Amino acid sequence: MEVKIGVQHAPREIVLESGQSPEEVERVVAEALAGKSQLLSLVDEHGRKILVPADRLAYVEIGESAPRKVGFGAL
């Protein structure tokens, strides 16, 4: 699933494909925003860990990943 993270004072958002469930990502984000954790920690589908300071989070968008289109087909 695709997760987009907006970071305050950063011109670009962080976009990652995660193998975690939407409920699990939402729980981790809620814990970071509630102050239970100082870092938002997510793991992407390649096993890399993404850490964002909780006090710098602007938004988190949780959505399903779109299938990748290949070729020059009509839109």
Side-chain angles (χ1 to χ4, degrees):
M1 116 179 131
E2 183 179 73
V3 179
K4 293 181 183 178
I5 304 169
V7 182
Q8 294 176 9
H9 310 296
R12 296 179 57 185
E13 61 191 7
I14 300 169
V15 180
L16 65 120
E17 290 288 330
S18 177
Q20 296 170 293
S21 70
E23 294 80 17
E24 185 178 355
V25 172
E26 185 176 353
R27 180 185 54 79
V28 172
V29 171
E31 287 177 359
L33 292 175
K36 294 181 181 178
S37 173
Q38 292 184 351
L39 292 173
L40 170 62
S41 175
L42 297 173
V43 179
D44 73 0
E45 63 184 9
H46 299 289
R48 296 178 290 207
K49 189 175 270 193
I50 290 83
L51 302 171
V52 180
D55 62 344
R56 297 290 183 191
L57 287 175
Y59 64 90
V60 177
E61 184 179 313
I62 303 169
E64 293 298 319
S65 60
R68 298 193 183 249
K69 297 180 182 178
V70 178
F72 296 100
L75 298 176

